[in-house]
Structures are given as C-alpha cells and as structure tokens.
Amino acid sequence: MVSKSFQDNITFIFMFVFMFFAIAYAEVYDITKFGAKPNGEISKALKDAWAAACAARKPSELLIPNGKFYLTVFEFKGPCKAPIEVKIDGTLIGPEDPLKIPKGVQWITFSYITDLTLSGSGTVDGVGAAQAWASNDPRVTIAKGSPLQYNLSFNFIKNSLITGITSKDSKNFHVNVMTCMNVTFDNFNVVAPEESPNTDGIHIGRSKNITIKNSKLGTGDDCISIVDGCENLHIEGVQCGPGHGISVGSLGRKTGEKPVVGVYVKNCSFSSTMNGVRIKTWPDSQPGEVVEMHFEDLSMDKVDNPVIIDQDYCPHIQCNQEKPSKVKVHNVFIKNVKGSSKSREVVKLKCSKANNGCQNVHIEDINLTYDGPSGPAVQTCSNVKPVYSGKIVPPGCA
Ligand SMILES: *[C@@H]1O[C@H](CO)[C@@H](O)[C@H](O)[C@H]1NC(C)=O
Ligand SMILES: *[C@@H]1O[C@H](CO)[C@@H](O)[C@H](O)[C@H]1NC(C)=O
Ligand SMILES: *[C@@H]1O[C@H](CO)[C@@H](O)[C@H](O)[C@H]1NC(C)=O
Ligand SMILES: *[C@@H]1O[C@H](CO)[C@@H](O)[C@H](O)[C@H]1NC(C)=O
Ligand SMILES: *[C@@H]1O[C@H](CO)[C@@H](O)[C@H](O)[C@H]1NC(C)=O
C-alpha cells in the first residue's frame, strides 16, 4: 500500500519537474519562421512573430537569429500575456534616411511590457551617418527639437532586464528610458564616435529603480543623462568614454519638472571624457530639486571636469545669467574620487545663489591631479560650503 505522503511527494515532484520545463523551455518564435530573410526588410515578419509571442500564455522568446536584417521602424508593444524575452543575436540595421521613420516615432520602441528580457549578442545599428549628425547640431535642436530618432526607446517598461546588446551609431540618443520601473541594464554597450552630436548613451526620465551596471558606454554626448522625475537610480561598474560623462540634468528649463531623488554612481571609470560626474541646471530657471546624490569610488583618466556642479549651464543660447537657477541641489556625497584632470579646477562646484546655495555637500577622500600649464590643481566653490573628511588633494575650498 502506497502512503498518502508518498503520493503527495510524487505529485509534488511531478509538478516541480513540469514547472521547471515550462520555465526552462520558453516557446521560441524565430522571425525566420515568420518570413524574415537575411539581408531583407523584416517589419512584417517581426510584427507577426511579436503578435504570436506576446499573446502566448506561457513564457516565450522572440528570436532574431544571427545575420543582418533591415528594419525601417518597429514598436514592440505590450502588454503581453506572460514573461517575454526578445533575443537579438543578429544585427538590426536602421534606414539610412531618417525621414523613413515617421516624425515623433523612434526607431525601435518597447512599450507597456512587464517582465521583458532583451538579450542576445546582437547589435542595433542606427546608421547614424555623418549627414544625420550634421542635422543634429545642438544649436539647432535645442531650439527646435531634433528630427532624428533615438535608437531604442523604453516606455512604460516594468521589472525587466536588458543585457548583451550593443547600440551603435544612433542618429540621436541611443537609448531613451521614460516612465519605466525596475529595469536593469547589465552589460549593455553603446558605441559611437566622440564627434557625433547629441548621441547620449542612456537618457532616463520619469523612471524609478533603474540600474545600469557592467556596461561600456562610449559616445559623442553624455554617457548617461538623468532628467526630471527620476528616483533611485543605480549606476555601477560603468566605463564611460569617449563622451560627456554621467550627468544629472539639465534641469530647470521646463515648467512642472519633478525632483531627481537618489542617484548612486559607484565604481565607475571615465576616460578622456568632458566631464566625470556632473549636475547641471539652467540659470533664470523654473523651480526644481536634486537631492541624494552619491558619487563614490570613481576613477578619472584625463577628464576635463572630473566633478562639477554647474548651475549656470547655458550652452548655445542666450540666458539671463543675472537671475539664478531655482533648482535646489542638496544632500550631495562625493567620496573616493581619484585620477587625472585635464583642467586645473578638478572639483568645481558652481552653485546657484538661490535657495541658500547647495546645501549639505560632503566630500571625502579626493586625489585628483593636474599637470598642465595653468598652475596647480584647485577645487573651486561658489554658494556652497562643503564638509570635508579624509584625505583631500588638492585642498578643498577654504
Ligand atoms: C540607434 O539608431 C541609429 C539610427 O538612428 C543606429 O545607427 C544605431 O545603430 C542604433 N543604435 C542602437 C544601439 O540601437
Ligand atoms: C525587478 O525586476 C526583476 C527582473 O529584472 C525581478 O526579478 C524582480 O522581482 C523585480 N523586483 C520587484 C520589486 O518587482
Ligand atoms: C524600488 O526600490 C526600492 C528600494 O530599493 C524597493 O524597496 C522597492 O521594492 C523597489 N520597487 C520596485 C517596483 O522595484
Ligand atoms: C568595478 O567595475 C569594474 C568594471 O569597470 C568591474 O570589473 C569590477 O568588478 C567592479 N568592482 C566592484 C568591487 O564592484
Ligand atoms: C595621489 O595619487 C598620486 C598618483 O596619481 C599618488 O602618487 C599620490 O601618492 C596620491 N596621494 C595621496 C595623498 O594618496
């Protein structure tokens, strides 16, 4: 006679094995089974494969296998019925002519998906082309908005992971993360030349709990830019360069901007970048707030401005520099920053005179060197009185 508990155990084991297989063997939707051909345009096949995968009631995988595929424009739109993985092993090539992508639409968009994994060893190549970048001159686009597309857009994505993919030569920002929650970029790489304008690596706005780790970001503008409404961002083990560094801002230009709360940049390296870590706000600005900034364990190699707060940020257009920025910057913790600077002002804190300046700024263990012609390395401060601890080289502001 077989005991009840033995039966229970057997049932349990069967259930466990079944669940294991159900999870381990997500059904694969290979675009080549939906009519995609290497070197062909795949919009139709991708649409059909996505519709099938997204409607599946158990975990599924949409596969873009090895090979070159041309893609004019596509939106991976949820919600999907179950967790879904999009695996890009091949190269997706965007249209050379940016006008092929309708105005206001990005090249590849992921939206309204929970439990997305975007993985693979592939590349999305925006074919940034010199011609497209020429029309992306910030002097024009700051005023008018850019006609060019971001490479990859993530909107309303939740509990998701992006890993392995490389974004190359975007015509505009490589990756735009908007209104996302709990998304991790791990081993996600951006490749573009130093002279490609406005090609921010990862641009993040209105998002919470975003992590970027173990990634190499090299581009012509900010490696990572963080704008209004971001909370609890973790950036760790990122190698930035070429590029303009990791920036919070710019902020204060538009009305109704939400605070940026909690940015943790840790164990990152910057190589020949324009900035290391930066907070930038416009003069004569709308109110705003930047709070809980933690910049820690950073190494700088020939960086123009290793640590900079610039509350007079006003490139390309005319600003009323007499009126201070009304963005309040407080609770800033800068710790263990080492390496070499290409300018003399290795730590430059240019705070606004509004809101009593930057409040509660702590600086601990700095060792930044400058060996150029303009004299010894210095730290400069306006409208801020940092609290120093540990070894500070060069000395902090008196
Ligand atoms: C971004 O899009 C551009 C075209 O706009 C393309 O050349 C580039 O490879 C894309 N990069 C990524 C990472 O998607
Ligand atoms: C965040 O997303 C990951 C998937 O990347 C998931 O495993 C985790 O449970 C999510 N966390 C929360 C709090 O939902
Ligand atoms: C966001 O992060 C906070 C703090 O790390 C955590 O308590 C919360 O569960 C996270 N929420 C989501 C949806 O990931
Ligand atoms: C720091 O980042 C590098 C990548 O730049 C990584 O290899 C290393 O493991 C990280 N160290 C720690 C302590 O996380
Ligand atoms: C600062 O770093 C330099 C090398 O970049 C090193 O020679 C020097 O000893 C360091 N100073 C301190 C106080 O750690």
Side-chain angles (χ1 to χ4, degrees):
M1 173 128 175
V2 179
S3 81
K4 180 83 167 56
S5 82
F6 182 75
Q7 276 180 353
D8 279 356
N9 279 343
I10 291 286
T11 313
F12 179 78
I13 287 165
F14 269 107
M15 271 173 58
F16 183 80
V17 167
F18 176 79
M19 276 166 56
F20 175 79
F21 278 94
I23 292 165
Y25 292 90
E27 187 154 1
V28 176
Y29 297 80
D30 181 334
I31 59 161
T32 61
K33 301 277 167 19
F34 289 79
K37 300 226 158 48
N39 298 311
E41 208 287 338
I42 60 165
S43 300
K44 171 76 170 64
L46 195 52
K47 181 167 171 277
D48 295 346
W50 174 253
C54 185
R57 295 194 172 271
K58 54 179 199 156
S60 62
E61 175 188 313
L62 181 141
L63 176 67
I64 298 172
N66 267 309
K68 257 192 195 176
F69 299 97
Y70 290 85
L71 180 62
T72 312
V73 59
F74 193 73
E75 180 172 2
F76 293 89
K77 194 168 180 189
C80 297
K81 294 232 161 31
I84 190 162
E85 176 161 359
V86 172
K87 194 164 179 217
I88 304 179
D89 283 335
T91 301
L92 286 177
I93 302 170
E96 226 163 280
D97 177 3
L99 297 177
K100 288 233 168 100
I101 301 175
K103 207 169 181 253
V105 174
Q106 313 307 335
W107 180 37
I108 299 175
T109 301
F110 292 85
S111 60
Y112 304 99
I113 310 167
T114 299
D115 297 325
L116 166 73
T117 303
L118 173 58
S119 68
S121 51
T123 300
V124 285
D125 188 341
V127 195
Q131 189 196 349
W133 285 329
S135 66
N136 204 21
D137 187 317
R139 280 165 294 195
V140 180
T141 55
I142 279 195
K144 286 190 181 163
S146 172
L148 301 175
Q149 302 80 24
Y150 307 137
N151 243 346
L152 285 169
S153 272
F154 298 93
N155 306 323
F156 303 95
I157 298 298
K158 229 176 124 176
N159 301 347
S160 295
L161 171 69
I162 288 107
T163 183
I165 304 291
T166 295
S167 174
K168 183 166 173 284
D169 294 343
S170 181
K171 293 185 177 66
N172 200 320
F173 296 171
H174 282 264
V175 176
N176 191 40
V177 177
M178 268 297 144
T179 43
C180 290
M181 166 74 112
N182 183 30
V183 175
T184 298
F185 289 82
D186 188 357
N187 184 24
F188 174 84
N189 303 302
V190 165
V191 184
E194 192 168 0
E195 58 275 9
S196 51
N198 249 349
T199 51
D200 290 23
I202 302 180
H203 179 78
I204 312 171
R206 305 205 178 160
S207 295
K208 286 185 193 173
N209 291 19
I210 307 297
T211 299
I212 301 169
K213 60 183 186 187
N214 309 326
S215 294
K216 279 191 194 166
L217 308 172
T219 190
D221 207 308
D222 293 337
C223 292
I224 299 173
S225 53
I226 298 153
V227 294
D228 87 289
C230 283
E231 287 182 30
N232 197 23
L233 304 193
H234 293 260
I235 298 168
E236 273 189 52
V238 165
Q239 296 174 41
C240 167
H244 294 187
I246 295 178
S247 292
V248 176
S250 56
L251 292 168
R253 244 190 132 216
K254 300 192 204 112
T255 52
E257 287 184 350
K258 300 228 160 59
V260 176
V261 183
V263 175
Y264 304 80
V265 181
K266 208 175 165 195
N267 182 35
C268 292
S269 64
F270 300 81
S271 181
S272 299
T273 49
M274 183 188 284
N275 306 287
V277 280
R278 168 168 69 162
I279 298 169
K280 52 178 172 170
T281 75
W282 294 80
D284 189 16
S285 79
Q286 301 293 329
E289 190 180 4
V290 174
V291 61
E292 288 303 326
M293 299 293 115
H294 297 256
F295 305 140
E296 209 176 306
D297 303 334
L298 308 179
S299 81
M300 307 285 162
D301 180 22
K302 302 186 192 72
V303 171
D304 288 350
N305 305 294
V307 177
I308 177 167
I309 296 178
D310 182 2
Q311 294 211 262
D312 268 332
Y313 178 78
C314 181
H316 317 304
I317 61 167
Q318 294 264 308
C319 296
N320 183 350
Q321 304 275 6
E322 301 305 305
K323 292 199 176 169
S325 172
K326 283 189 275 194
V327 177
K328 184 173 176 184
V329 176
H330 58 136
N331 300 9
V332 179
F333 302 84
I334 300 161
K335 187 175 168 185
N336 190 24
V337 181
K338 301 202 156 92
S340 59
S341 171
K342 271 180 28 188
S343 76
R344 186 176 172 232
E345 292 175 281
V346 298
V347 175
K348 187 171 174 180
L349 308 178
K350 206 160 67 163
C351 291
S352 168
K353 59 175 181 270
N355 307 308
N356 300 315
C358 300
Q359 293 287 319
N360 199 23
V361 176
H362 292 257
I363 300 183
E364 184 178 344
D365 291 325
I366 299 288
N367 185 4
L368 288 163
T369 59
Y370 166 75
D371 68 354
S374 33
V378 290
Q379 299 197 36
T380 61
C381 301
S382 45
N383 304 307
V384 57
K385 288 201 172 70
V387 176
Y388 296 96
S389 56
K391 281 189 185 159
I392 305 287
V393 181
C397 307

